[in-house]
Amino acid sequence: MSELPAAARAVVIGGGVAGCSVAYHLARLGWTDVVLLEQHDLTDGTTWHSAGFVGQLRSTVSQTRMIMYSSGLYAELRTLTGLDPGWRGVGGLRLATTPERVEELRRQVSSATTYGLELDLLTPAQAKERLPLLNVDDVLAAGWLPGDGWLEPAQLGAALAAGASALGVRIVTGVRVTGVETAAGQVTAVVTTEGRITCEVVVDAAGAAAGRVGRLAGVDIPIVPIKHQYVVTEALPGAGSTVDIPTVRDPDRIVYFRGAPAPSGGLLVGGYVRDPSLWDDPDPLSAPRTLFEPDLDKFAESWGNARHRVPALRTLGMDRIVHGPEAFTPDGEFLLGETPVRGFWVAAGFCVHGLAAAGGVGKVIAEWIVDGTPEWDMSTMDVRRFGAHAASRTWAATKALDGYSRYYDIVYPGQEWTAGRPLRRSPVWPRLSSLDAALGEKAGWERANWFGANAALAAPGVTAPRGWAGRNWSPAIAAEVAATATAAGLFDQSSFAKLDVRGPGALGLLQRLCANDVDRAVGSLTYTSMLNTRGGVEADLTVARLGEAHFRIVTSTASGVRDAAWIRRHASCEVTVDDVTSAFGCLCLWGPSSRDILQPLTDASLSDADFPFMRAVRLTVGPVPVLAQRVTFVGELGWELYAPAEYTLTLWDLLMTAGAPAGLRPGGYRAIDSMRLEKGYRVWGSDLTTDTDPISAGLGPFVDLSKDFIGRSALPGTPSRTLRCLVLDDPATVCLGGEPVRVGGVPSGRVTSGGFGYRVGASIAYAYLPASTAAGTPVEVSVFDRWSPAVVRAEPLYDPKMLRVRA
């Protein structure tokens, strides 16, 4: 379409809908010196054979927002570009044939309410009225989303490309990228078969080939190409055009379908298989419009289920079979954001629904590049969410294949999968099996959710929460909370991410990044957040000052890579940032007996005068060298004890032996979550995100407005919404997160996190509500589409005067 220039501000690699959308949105934000490169013709990679479904409701707020934005953009593209993107806003049906799937639909209705998305629950008869072709004999309920639809992939790509070209983007096809040049960790140029382009930004939007392009820049991108099939049937007798019938998803039968483009008159029928196959090609998409031979044996289940759902298909054959590659990721979420090579960005890994989200992907990537942060929280899709193990193609493939095989399965809260495990194990691992640990996984780490050995210690009458909240539960959780409140609990939190920031510029850097003041005496411990320019919380962490120019940051398990990248992005050459997570174990000893257990094992005084709250002191526990930090995430007296990894198992055994007479019990993460809710401690990723600010989150006391820091000017003087604690009237009704909240009958917010507080005997939820919503205000929470009464309560619910923490 255009000649190759010698230089550009940004180069986008990949001419599918993602690449075209990124280029279009960059130009809309004023970056018109952009070149888009495609080795074949536009959309000839994976876009061209997409089924084109646009289903707006997703599992996260951000992904739903992205797809809702996309739907609106697609409807407008004809006016904006003069080209028809092939958008068909026909609405969508989601069928439920089991009681469990009906419950999932009810939960989705609640979620849709919080997103401002229309979703109606239909009877089987109403579903058939929407689409008379359906057999609804086994259907129990259906969800109707009038905003859903589908589009023609090639037409959408052409419309986005036309919009980008009109704004000044140069699109060059038939050019293969053969190299990405870097200097000092920064992108400098792209090398192609037709020449070299110097640039400051590269966006890898190469779809199933994104991994190959990443390797050109020395970046490992965990893209897993998987073979995926759909068929287009012969014309339905007497049906005429089918393009305007609703889209249908039948997850219990792992099949989906929609009308096929004219002149077919048939249906496009796709599905997921339990034994998916990799496309193991070192140079994927090197040929245009890649397809594989049909594999009807694998498609038999989906085809049989489609014929059950649409009886008219029983006498029809397949007019066309499309068996092509799709780009999946280890956790089924997109891969977006900047990589460790500065200026090298990725927008790939769309796991079959790239067309649905392409508009939103272009928007957030462009905002991220131009403004430094996108409007919406992208943390669950941030390419930096993975550790070094993601460079393993074997691990990535194992996880992606497992995720694909379960694509339409109901995901219950607390459900754990076993593929690719165990991977990262703390030094305490040898003790976990003897205590019957129920293991969970986070960022590759094996962590105890609870210990089965504690279940028999639960008080009589402890029962599981009602519904989904009680599916993956044990009375051991209640027992571990009780032990921590009456004696002590020992928690292995070695998976905490730990970063050492050192150098003559370390203090200045952290003062600029942290909202709280970290310029305190050596040995001080500071709780703080790091903000983006919009005032959103990029990181939630503690900072220990271990020397005049040495700071130890502790952040959440899954945030280490991302937080380190944020700090390095702003650091000068005078500062080093080292990830020391694996070098140190962390055992948390919390509870009223914790001092009595720990004191005999050390020569250092643990008194309030000598070791006050929020201090960090080096000492020995028995023969084990430890950095002890007096801080808590459960609201009880105690310490986080950081020991070199080789000593951590010895430290565990010392503490367990010393604490046994006092009633010390090992505890897991589910007990921690219960206790932190009672204390109102916020969790990053739910209560705190990149699009929530610390003032609205109730963290004003941990923001020092007397100093300058990134995001300060964006903080609200008086927030319009604040995070409030809710207690549900029915203690057996437990929120899972995402439930809508009504104040005075008006939808006013959604639950960010919820659970049961065993020390206070209450079902607790947190939600951002209008700032005028005072303690004592009655509210309602929709749990599985059933409104439950609750009341706003002052926080914290447990030990509001902090007497137990300071002890």
Side-chain angles (χ1 to χ4, degrees):
M1 291 185 182
S2 177
E3 292 186 2
L4 195 72
R9 191 172 191 182
V11 173
V12 179
I13 302 172
V17 290
C20 292
S21 181
V22 170
Y24 171 68
H25 284 87
L26 280 172
R28 280 183 58 171
L29 292 181
W31 279 38
T32 55
D33 185 15
V34 175
V35 176
L36 184 147
L37 302 177
E38 166 55 48
Q39 63 180 336
H40 307 303
D41 288 329
L42 293 180
T43 75
D44 272 4
T46 54
T47 293
W48 74 276
H49 63 70
S50 170
F53 279 68
V54 178
Q56 297 182 80
L57 184 61
R58 296 292 168 179
S59 59
T60 67
V61 176
S62 294
Q63 209 174 92
T64 301
R65 286 172 173 168
M66 289 167 66
I67 297 177
M68 290 175 69
Y69 169 83
S70 295
S71 299
L73 175 66
Y74 300 159
E76 297 171 4
L77 273 175
R78 185 196 298 266
T79 301
L80 293 172
T81 67
L83 295 178
D84 179 10
W87 168 244
R88 301 277 181 176
V90 295
L93 287 166
R94 299 188 182 200
L95 308 182
T97 62
T98 64
E100 293 80 9
R101 191 69 70 175
V102 173
E103 282 298 288
E104 181 187 52
L105 269 181
R106 289 188 178 280
R107 177 161 167 77
Q108 289 173 341
V109 170
S110 294
S111 297
T113 301
T114 72
Y115 305 151
L117 188 64
E118 187 177 351
L119 171 55
D120 299 320
L121 202 59
L122 307 182
T123 66
Q126 289 171 323
K128 189 172 180 65
E129 185 178 344
R130 294 277 182 185
L131 185 56
L133 292 170
L134 293 179
N135 165 24
V136 296
D137 289 349
D138 59 341
V139 174
L140 301 180
W144 168 249
L145 290 113
D148 280 8
W150 60 275
L151 35 72
E152 295 280 8
Q155 289 180 232
L156 173 62
L160 288 167
S165 294
L167 293 171
V169 173
R170 283 167 286 187
I171 297 177
V172 186
T173 58
V175 175
R176 181 177 168 87
V177 174
T178 58
V180 177
E181 296 180 0
T182 63
Q186 167 74 49
V187 162
T188 58
V190 169
V191 181
T192 78
T193 51
E194 300 298 322
R196 179 176 177 273
I197 308 173
T198 60
C199 58
E200 60 188 72
V201 167
V202 172
V203 181
D204 179 0
R212 180 194 75 83
V213 172
R215 288 190 290 275
L216 296 176
V219 174
D220 293 304
I221 298 174
I223 290 289
V224 181
I226 294 179
K227 298 178 180 180
H228 185 75
Q229 286 185 102
Y230 67 77
V231 304
V232 177
T233 73
E234 296 173 340
L236 274 68
S241 174
T242 58
V243 294
D244 292 324
I245 69 171
T247 65
V248 177
R249 290 172 174 80
D250 190 354
D252 290 320
R253 292 184 174 270
I254 58 172
V255 67
Y256 58 84
F257 52 90
R258 64 166 174 83
S264 164
L267 297 180
L268 184 153
V269 179
Y272 295 87
V273 298
R274 295 298 184 187
D275 56 342
S277 300
L278 290 175
W279 182 33
D280 192 9
D281 188 326
D283 191 9
L285 305 184
S286 57
R289 300 203 162 209
T290 297
L291 287 179
F292 313 116
E293 288 296 317
D295 189 343
L296 294 182
D297 287 341
K298 284 200 172 183
F299 197 67
E301 182 180 4
S302 292
W303 179 239
N305 286 333
R307 300 174 98 181
H308 165 81
R309 187 60 61 216
V310 181
L313 294 180
R314 296 172 188 172
T315 59
L316 300 182
M318 301 176 186
D319 180 65
R320 182 162 53 98
I321 302 170
V322 178
H323 191 194
E326 295 285 354
F328 278 76
T329 65
D331 61 0
E333 295 284 358
F334 298 173
L335 294 177
L336 307 177
E338 192 173 24
T339 70
V341 174
R342 292 191 307 277
F344 189 84
W345 295 72
V346 63
F350 298 127
C351 306
V352 182
H353 49 277
L355 262 73
V361 166
K363 167 185 160 63
V364 299
I365 289 291
E367 291 170 345
W368 217 337
I369 292 170
V370 175
D371 300 330
T373 186
E375 178 182 359
W376 304 317
D377 174 34
M378 292 290 108
S379 58
T380 61
M381 294 171 260
D382 194 320
V383 67
R384 298 168 297 181
R385 67 187 180 271
F386 295 111
H389 54 274
S392 164
R393 296 189 201 180
T394 301
W395 177 85
T398 298
K399 298 290 282 187
L401 288 169
D402 179 62
Y404 180 103
S405 72
R406 297 181 285 97
Y407 192 85
Y408 268 158
D409 287 359
I410 297 172
V411 179
Y412 295 107
Q415 195 159 355
E416 302 287 351
W417 313 111
T418 59
R421 296 173 57 188
L423 180 62
R424 305 173 78 180
R425 289 174 271 188
S426 89
V428 175
W429 173 266
R431 299 294 180 265
L432 300 184
S433 60
S434 63
L435 294 165
D436 190 23
L439 295 171
E441 181 266 337
K442 188 74 172 284
W445 283 95
E446 295 292 323
R447 313 191 312 178
N449 284 330
W450 64 77
F451 291 91
N454 292 327
L457 304 177
V462 170
T463 57
R466 185 184 301 121
W468 281 19
R471 276 185 167 266
N472 296 292
W473 177 90
S474 168
I477 302 168
E480 290 163 14
V481 171
T484 305
T486 59
L490 185 61
F491 301 85
D492 176 20
Q493 295 203 277
S494 298
S495 66
F496 271 160
K498 313 163 195 83
L499 308 173
D500 271 4
V501 182
R502 300 174 185 257
L507 175 60
L509 170 67
L510 293 179
Q511 282 290 76
R512 187 160 59 92
L513 292 179
C514 294
N516 206 349
D517 182 16
V518 298
D519 188 8
R520 305 184 187 196
V522 172
S524 63
L525 186 63
T526 304
Y527 170 63
T528 186
S529 53
M530 294 183 180
L531 312 183
N532 56 44
T533 54
R534 298 175 188 264
V537 180
E538 283 288 332
D540 178 64
L541 40 81
T542 59
V543 180
R545 190 169 193 177
L546 304 183
E548 291 297 326
H550 179 197
F551 297 82
R552 170 75 51 78
I553 288 175
V554 176
T555 186
S556 65
T557 298
S559 299
V561 174
R562 190 176 176 282
D563 291 355
W566 180 260
I567 298 168
R568 291 185 182 118
R569 174 179 171 183
H570 297 90
S572 68
C573 60
E574 294 182 316
V575 179
T576 61
V577 182
D578 296 315
D579 189 331
V580 296
T581 300
S582 299
F584 299 97
C586 174
L587 303 182
C588 299
L589 178 65
W590 290 319
S593 299
S594 57
R595 181 184 280 122
D596 296 334
I597 294 169
L598 189 58
Q599 184 64 81
L601 300 175
T602 181
D603 293 333
S605 171
L606 303 181
S607 69
D608 287 333
D610 295 322
F611 202 148
F613 186 57
M614 297 302 286
R615 291 287 295 172
V617 176
R618 295 189 185 277
L619 45 79
T620 58
V621 177
V624 177
V626 165
L627 173 66
Q629 297 187 172
R630 189 171 165 193
V631 65
T632 177
F633 199 57
V634 301
E636 302 287 352
L637 170 69
W639 288 264
E640 293 175 356
L641 305 172
Y642 295 87
E646 68 270 25
Y647 290 98
T648 306
L649 183 56
T650 299
L651 180 61
W652 173 276
D653 290 343
L654 279 170
L655 294 171
M656 286 295 291
T657 299
L664 172 71
R665 298 302 301 172
Y669 274 81
R670 296 287 288 277
I672 291 175
D673 193 55
S674 170
M675 291 185 280
R676 73 93 188 167
L677 280 168
E678 295 171 306
K679 285 297 295 181
Y681 294 146
R682 280 48 169 156
V683 168
W684 194 87
S686 56
D687 306 314
L688 307 172
T689 67
T690 59
D691 51 12
T692 59
D693 69 87
I695 306 300
S696 300
L699 299 180
F702 306 100
V703 175
D704 186 351
L705 294 174
S706 69
K707 72 183 188 77
D708 189 27
F709 54 87
I710 293 174
R712 182 186 184 281
S713 61
L715 293 178
T718 302
S720 60
R721 304 177 66 78
T722 55
L723 191 62
R724 296 297 194 199
C725 175
L726 316 179
V727 172
L728 279 69
D729 288 8
D730 177 12
T733 300
V734 174
C735 294
L736 305 172
E739 294 86 352
V741 180
R742 294 194 306 207
V743 181
V746 178
S748 303
R750 65 180 182 85
V751 171
T752 56
S753 60
F756 190 80
Y758 292 94
R759 292 177 297 191
V760 298
S763 175
I764 306 167
Y766 277 81
Y768 283 92
L769 299 177
S772 59
T773 311
T777 302
V779 299
E780 296 172 288
V781 183
S782 180
V783 183
F784 288 89
D785 199 30
R786 299 176 180 91
W787 290 101
S788 299
V791 65
V792 177
R793 294 279 298 275
E795 56 173 323
L797 298 175
Y798 181 74
D799 186 28
K801 295 183 178 180
M802 299 286 284
L803 300 178
R804 298 179 68 88
V805 171
R806 300 182 184 276

